Amino acid sequence: MTVVGRRERKKLATRAALRETALRLALRHGVEHVTVEQIAAETDIAVRTFFNYFSSKEEAMVAAVAAEADALIGEFRGRPRDEPVLRALREAVAHVMAVSDTEALRLIVRAPSLLPQRLAVYATREKALAEAIADRLGLSPDDLYPAVCAATALTAMRVVLERWLDQPADHAALREQTEEVIGLLAAGLERRLP
Amino acid sequence: MTVVGRRERKKLATRAALRETALRLALRHGVEHVTVEQIAAETDIAVRTFFNYFSSKEEAMVAAVAAEADALIGEFRGRPRDEPVLRALREAVAHVMAVSDTEALRLIVRAPSLLPQRLAVYATREKALAEAIADRLGLSPDDLYPAVCAATALTAMRVVLERWLDQPADHAALREQTEEVIGLLAAGLERRLP
DNA sequence: ATGCATCGATGCATACTGTGCAAGTTGACT
DNA sequence: AGTCAACTTGCACAGTATGCATCGATGCAT
């Protein structure tokens, strides 16, 4: 196991505390009205130190999304090896979303000022997911398929999530819509006028 | 036709001038070393006025990408109605990229600090593309298929473009790789361990 | 052409963001 | 205990971004 010293534990704790404070303040006052100074003060941390952890207030706020994306990749890697890629992804999403904080997620997804940073988070996770897919299939991470599959699948999940957050929270509906989208990707996206 | 007065023409000219100056300075000095003050001065515009056109220096720099995305959607809408969606997209991409400034594009795509804004541009164009797809197929823009198809196809194009920009400019290769990706999406993305 | 209403450009003030640097603390390891 | 490396902090400073008031240019009706 990875033996973590006090130092690393404190760092993780500080990072988590900043992330939670940022989100809490955003929920209370609205994303736009929270400043780094407030986040730092509320966490009892110097402003300068905040910037040692996050390069912007937006990054701190979408850190929750980043954590969920990491969890998704972890779940995916834990799926049985003989399971097809898209099905494994579908199940991974279901497991992660089951324990997700819908209220916070809705706040983050609906804030226009967080859109660029949120998308950047997904984009960086694309790489990790592509590697996981390549591992699963015994391909090279440089192949086209893992890259495209990771990127498009994540994007499809994002679309589903955004649509789902616009309706009353219903986890059964989310599962259903996830399956529908995965079905689309699996069956092929080509269409023409009937 | 839309009759544009002198006022609107000047606005468009100013916006284009700012966009071009931003890009030119970025090419000369590097994205990170360009300030709004420089862009404004070089365009002979007040700094305050710059912010009437773009909400950040990053937005001005990725404006070229936004213009290309708009052109892509225009080409797509101009394709024959009986053409399948993905094939129409493939052809639209080919036409837009044929007249694209590869050097500028490479600069924008490779700059990490522009990633969030660039992705935000794609995301906003997703909506327009989804509408165009819905129009083509006679579906509602609220249907799942247009939203997912627009989002995933744009994402797939992005992946291809990013990979292509990492190799020497060769438009034949780009066309080939575009076709390959569209083929993937058309055939379905599901895969499993052999 | 004149006069009026609107829109856009600008300067100013101000709050906030983000980073380099140097000094002080704390943790890890011997 | 002592030493080194890593982390925190304060300070200075450049740059970003917005509200507000003002001034000039444009569009339009008469």
Side-chain angles (χ1 to χ4, degrees), chain A residues 150-185:
Chain A
T152 53
L154 272 184
T155 297
M157 305 294 189
R158 169 173 66 78
V159 171
V160 167
L161 186 64
E162 288 170 355
R163 291 167 64 96
W164 180 72
L165 287 174
D166 277 339
Q167 44 196 27
D170 171 358
H171 280 265
L174 176 59
R175 165 136 203 136
E176 189 182 310
Q177 289 162 30
T178 305
E179 286 178 6
E180 190 177 350
V181 158
I182 295 290
L184 276 177
L185 292 186

Side-chain angles (χ1 to χ4, degrees), chain A residues 81-87 115-117 119-120 123-124 126-127 136-139 141-145 147-149 151-152 155-156 158-160 162-163 177 180-181 184-194, chain B residues 81-87 115-117 119-120 123-124 126-127 136-139 141-145 147-149 151-152 155-156 158-160 162-163 177 180-181 184-194:
Chain A
R81 294 264 305 179
D82 63 328
E83 205 172 35
V85 172
L86 292 184
R87 194 191 311 169
L115 178 68
Q117 294 293 333
L119 296 175
T124 64
E126 259 180 40
K127 272 74 179 170
R136 166 170 292 252
L137 294 177
L139 301 174
D142 294 332
D143 286 340
L144 185 63
Y145 175 80
V148 170
C149 184
T152 53
T155 297
R158 169 173 66 78
V159 171
V160 167
E162 288 170 355
R163 291 167 64 96
Q177 289 162 30
E180 190 177 350
V181 158
L184 276 177
L185 292 186
L189 280 172
E190 188 62 298
R191 293 272 179 99
R192 69 189 310 162
L193 257 186
Chain B
R81 295 264 305 178
D82 63 327
E83 206 172 34
V85 172
L86 292 183
R87 193 192 309 168
L115 178 68
Q117 295 291 332
L119 297 175
T124 64
E126 260 180 40
K127 271 74 177 172
R136 165 169 292 250
L137 294 177
L139 300 175
D142 295 332
D143 285 340
L144 184 63
Y145 175 79
V148 170
C149 183
T152 55
T155 297
R158 169 174 66 78
V159 170
V160 166
E162 288 170 356
R163 291 167 64 97
Q177 288 162 30
E180 191 180 349
V181 157
L184 276 178
L185 292 186
L189 281 172
E190 187 63 295
R191 293 272 180 97
R192 70 188 310 161
L193 211 51

Side-chain angles (χ1 to χ4, degrees), chain B residues 101-185:
Chain B
D101 179 348
T102 307
E103 194 187 2
L105 209 49
R106 186 173 276 125
L107 177 85
I108 295 172
V109 169
R110 283 188 178 167
S113 67
L114 298 184
L115 178 68
Q117 295 291 332
R118 178 166 62 92
L119 297 175
V121 164
Y122 298 143
T124 64
R125 288 343 189 245
E126 260 180 40
K127 271 74 177 172
L129 183 56
E131 280 183 31
I133 293 174
D135 286 351
R136 165 169 292 250
L137 294 177
L139 300 175
S140 160
D142 295 332
D143 285 340
L144 184 63
Y145 175 79
V148 170
C149 183
T152 55
L154 272 185
T155 297
M157 306 294 190
R158 169 174 66 78
V159 170
V160 166
L161 186 64
E162 288 170 356
R163 291 167 64 97
W164 181 72
L165 286 174
D166 277 340
Q167 47 195 38
D170 171 359
H171 281 266
L174 176 60
R175 164 138 201 132
E176 189 183 310
Q177 288 162 30
T178 305
E179 285 177 8
E180 191 180 349
V181 157
I182 294 290
L184 276 178
L185 292 186

Side-chain angles (χ1 to χ4, degrees), chain A:
Chain A
M1 302 305 279
T2 319
V3 178
V4 287
R6 190 199 317 262
R7 192 166 240 162
E8 195 160 350
R9 259 181 291 127
K10 280 195 175 180
K11 259 175 64 176
L12 289 177
T14 301
R15 168 170 281 265
L18 285 173
R19 167 161 66 85
E20 281 160 25
T21 304
L23 217 47
R24 184 161 39 81
L25 289 178
L27 280 166
R28 193 187 313 159
H29 302 121
V31 169
E32 308 290 345
H33 299 92
V34 179
T35 68
V36 173
E37 194 176 338
Q38 283 173 26
I39 301 172
E42 190 95 358
T43 321
D44 199 21
I45 286 289
V47 172
R48 185 64 185 82
T49 305
F50 172 91
F51 286 108
N52 288 343
Y53 284 89
F54 299 102
S55 64
S56 70
K57 142 186 95 179
E58 287 78 14
E59 195 178 309
M61 287 178 179
V62 300
V65 170
E68 290 202 345
D70 289 336
L72 171 68
I73 294 173
E75 287 283 342
F76 175 78
R77 282 193 177 276
R79 302 295 306 175
R81 294 264 305 179
D82 63 328
E83 205 172 35
V85 172
L86 292 184
R87 194 191 311 169
L89 269 172
R90 187 189 68 194
E91 296 305 314
V93 168
H95 280 78
V96 170
M97 288 307 299
V99 296
S100 167
D101 179 349
T102 307
E103 193 188 3
L105 208 50
R106 185 172 276 125
L107 177 84
I108 295 172
V109 169
R110 283 188 179 166
S113 66
L114 298 184
L115 178 68
Q117 294 293 333
R118 177 165 63 94
L119 296 175
V121 164
Y122 297 145
T124 64
R125 290 336 189 252
E126 259 180 40
K127 272 74 179 170
L129 183 55
E131 280 182 33
I133 292 174
D135 285 352
R136 166 170 292 252
L137 294 177
L139 301 174
S140 159
D142 294 332
D143 286 340
L144 185 63
Y145 175 80
V148 170
C149 184
T152 53
L154 272 184
T155 297
M157 305 294 189
R158 169 173 66 78
V159 171
V160 167
L161 186 64
E162 288 170 355
R163 291 167 64 96
W164 180 72
L165 287 174
D166 277 339
Q167 44 196 27
D170 171 358
H171 280 265
L174 176 59
R175 165 136 203 136
E176 189 182 310
Q177 289 162 30
T178 305
E179 286 178 6
E180 190 177 350
V181 158
I182 295 290
L184 276 177
L185 292 186
L189 280 172
E190 188 62 298
R191 293 272 179 99
R192 69 189 310 162
L193 257 186

